[in-house]
Amino acid sequence: MDSVLLWDGREKSSQLLAFMRERAVETALSSLLSAIASDPLWEQLAGVRLVARAHPVPLIAAFGRFTPFERARLQNLSMLLVEAVDNYRYVDYQEAERLSACLAQRLLQRFSRDEISTFHFTAIPRGGHIVLGMLAYALDLEPWQLCDIDSALNERQPAAVVIVDDCAISGVRLQQYLRRANGQDVVFASLLAPEGFRSALMTREKSVRDCLSAESLEDLGPQRLGGGYAEWLSQRASQMGEYGYWIGVLPHFAFAWSEPQTKYWNADVQRFEAGWRLLPARLCLAHRHRRSAALTSERISICDTPHGYLCLSDRVLSVEVEGRVAVALMPHAGEAEATCFCLDGSAAVMWRAAVTCDTLDAAVAELQRYYSVDRQLLLDDFEGFISSLVSHGIAADEIGA
């Protein structure tokens, strides 16, 4: 059995609560674990368990026997969790309405109202339809101006076609539609797009008359990668080839209706892999059709705060797997990987007694229910077990009888 630390919440409880929009760390962790476990990517990690602890230090880890592919996927999840909790953007419906009004103003500043009255407006499914609905009211568009994207691009329009979406990242989806535009004059409009997306798009696509967004998303690449950013960009450009327009590092963001699909480069298999979606169904309409958390509950666990004889280290996580107990001491930043122990047989029984019984006498009495041996011999074995846990840093101290 092995373990991988996915998120260390030391001094980050407030960020977690804000990210999950919860008031208690326990419910925030439960909500986050359920969201991860209902992601289709989690189903591909056969036998892997997701384990968390709320107090005194919020921690999330994965337990299992990992293949190199699974470890790479978990490492991607870990990076995403760290970045998302620390730096994210959530657009609810009220904020989307504000951004749509801002986008309408951007269009009116770029084109006259008479020009806009001749444009056709269409949307990239499905988030684009929500934005287009708001934009249609903000610009007071006529019903005939709203059209299906296939007919808008396949039937040459006399005036520009405004393609609307909720966001742009690399621009791969937009590129797929532009390839069918047959020289149609196009304007692209979105609520959010990266800094530099407009120039990257218009440099490549001569049929695009303009590209407007309500707000720009900061490219975090220079800040995170420093002097290595130029090399990283060159590698990504080689990997992407002609797909998409923009390359960079964006903060995690989501809308009340969807959480954009991100991708990461898996060096082990030399291809892009789908990234994780982290929002629970109550914060994201699209996720309400995902696998029910109830169906995945057997693969997620939140450790209760121990109330027994044993005082565990702040950084210990444990989970029961097929009658055995996996116990791991999570590393601090910069330390080696987690140390994981698999307790079975008498060791598993002793562990349960140590974390559930209030006193040494109570723990030994519990053990006597399983083993018909001399009490002193049982006591000696139990104290030896506790001492071993202390020596490995699993137990911070012993509570006296």
Side-chain angles (χ1 to χ4, degrees), residues 119-122 152-153 157 159-163 184-188:
F119 292 169
H120 282 79
F121 286 74
T122 189
L153 298 179
Q157 308 297 329
V161 171
V162 181
I163 299 178
Q184 172 68 51
D185 196 13
V186 168
V187 175
F188 180 64

Side-chain angles (χ1 to χ4, degrees), residues 285-300:
L285 182 63
H287 293 181
R288 296 177 191 177
H289 299 289
R290 283 162 57 169
R291 182 179 173 88
S292 170
L295 300 177
T296 60
S297 60
E298 71 278 3
R299 295 184 59 194
I300 62 177

